[in-house]
Amino acid sequence: MSSMTDIVFLLLIFFMITSTMVHPNAIKLLIPKKSTKKVVVEKFLNVRVTASGKYVVSGSWLGVDKLENSLLNAFAKNDKTIIKLRTDKNASTGSVAKVLDVAESNGVKVILDIR
């Protein structure tokens, strides 16, 4: 009986040591916590980037040179403006990045409109 307890004890130690070496293959996700803070949005500024690199800001077609001035004028009128950005499937990332750069430099939030 004593030899049986020795074997069980050694097996217990073996399994305890090997179980601590096993790392599960899991992805760590940062899940946002529930927030009670409400965001007040007074105005959405619809911005669309086409495949040809043109911009549509609230229904008017703009080139790259007039994009920043148009966005800055919209931000000056209302502090709580949020950009609702919609891109064409074939739009270049550089064209999208220009809108994001202007928004980030002026502290404006951007929402991606995915359809």
Side-chain angles (χ1 to χ4, degrees):
M1 190 69 164
S2 66
S3 63
M4 188 67 153
T5 57
D6 289 341
I7 292 173
V8 170
F9 183 67
L10 288 174
L11 283 174
L12 179 66
I13 292 173
F14 173 75
F15 286 122
M16 286 176 60
I17 291 173
T18 57
S19 67
T20 59
M21 292 182 192
V22 177
H23 296 295
N25 293 333
I27 299 172
K28 288 187 178 182
L29 297 176
L30 297 175
I31 300 173
K33 295 178 179 156
K34 184 177 178 182
S35 175
T36 58
K37 182 180 175 185
K38 293 188 179 184
V39 178
V40 177
V41 178
E42 292 184 8
K43 183 180 177 188
F44 280 111
L45 183 64
N46 293 318
V47 178
R48 189 171 145 232
V49 182
T50 63
S52 62
K54 301 260 182 180
Y55 301 95
V56 182
V57 178
S58 296
S60 61
W61 290 81
L62 298 174
V64 178
D65 53 343
K66 296 181 181 179
L67 174 70
E68 188 168 357
N69 290 334
S70 176
L71 293 177
L72 291 176
N73 288 337
F75 302 150
K77 292 178 186 174
N78 193 348
D79 291 342
K80 296 181 179 160
T81 302
I82 291 180
I83 295 177
K84 188 159 67 167
L85 181 62
R86 188 171 170 205
T87 63
D88 192 330
K89 180 180 175 182
N90 299 323
S92 70
T93 54
S95 300
V96 176
K98 289 183 194 239
V99 177
L100 295 174
D101 286 340
V102 171
E104 184 180 351
S105 64
N106 293 299
V108 177
K109 294 183 181 181
V110 178
I111 297 173
L112 293 177
D113 185 11
I114 301 171
R115 294 186 188 181

